[in-house]
Structures are given as structure tokens and as C-alpha cells.
């Protein structure tokens, strides 16, 4: 079985004074503090969530 592809995502911005939807999207990605990093499965749904909050996260190169 092939290894699942993953993305490493780091939160770079604060959700303060942002719409509740964006705050909820960060929570859905498992991020809630600036500087926190998560390794997530590379799926279209995750890519869409990252795109929605792209101004507050960055994809970390490995």
C-alpha cells in the first residue's frame, strides 16, 4: 500500500477580528495558536480549508 501524502501546515496569523468561519476552519485544521504546526493528509478537502485561511497559514517545506 502506498504511503499517504501529507502536508505540514503552520499557523502564522491570529484569528482575532476575523470572521467566525475562518476561526472554525483553523480549529478544523487542528490549529489554534500562532506558531503551531500540524501534519495533515493531502486531500482536496484539506487543501480547500488551507486555501480559505491562506492568509493565516503557510505550508512548511520538509
Amino acid at each position: 500500500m502506498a504511503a499517504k501524502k501529507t502536508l505540514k501546515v503552520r499557523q502564522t496569523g491570529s484569528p482575532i477580528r476575523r470572521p467566525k468561519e475562518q476561526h472554525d476552519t483553523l480549529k478544523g485544521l487542528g490549529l489554534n495558536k500562532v506558531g503551531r504546526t500540524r501534519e495533515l493528509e493531502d486531500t482536496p478537502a484539506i487543501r480547500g480549508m488551507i486555501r480559505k485561511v491562506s492568509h493565516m497559514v503557510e505550508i512548511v517545506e520538509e
Side-chain angles (χ1 to χ4, degrees):
M1 186 172 184
K4 293 184 180 182
K5 192 167 180 182
T6 61
L7 295 169
K8 211 169 205 184
V9 182
R10 178 185 299 131
Q11 184 176 344
T12 58
S14 171
I16 295 172
R17 298 187 68 182
R18 302 277 184 194
K20 183 176 178 349
E21 285 181 353
Q22 292 179 6
H23 192 141
D24 292 344
T25 301
L26 283 176
K27 280 186 182 175
L29 290 170
L31 302 170
N32 63 353
K33 292 184 179 177
V34 175
R36 187 154 291 177
T37 303
R38 292 276 302 189
E39 196 164 321
L40 304 165
E41 194 174 335
D42 188 6
T43 64
I46 296 295
R47 289 265 180 182
M49 292 170 78
I50 291 170
R51 194 172 303 115
K52 192 172 185 181
V53 293
S54 62
H55 54 286
M56 290 189 282
V57 298
E58 69 179 1
I59 296 178
V60 179
E61 298 300 322
E62 296 171 30

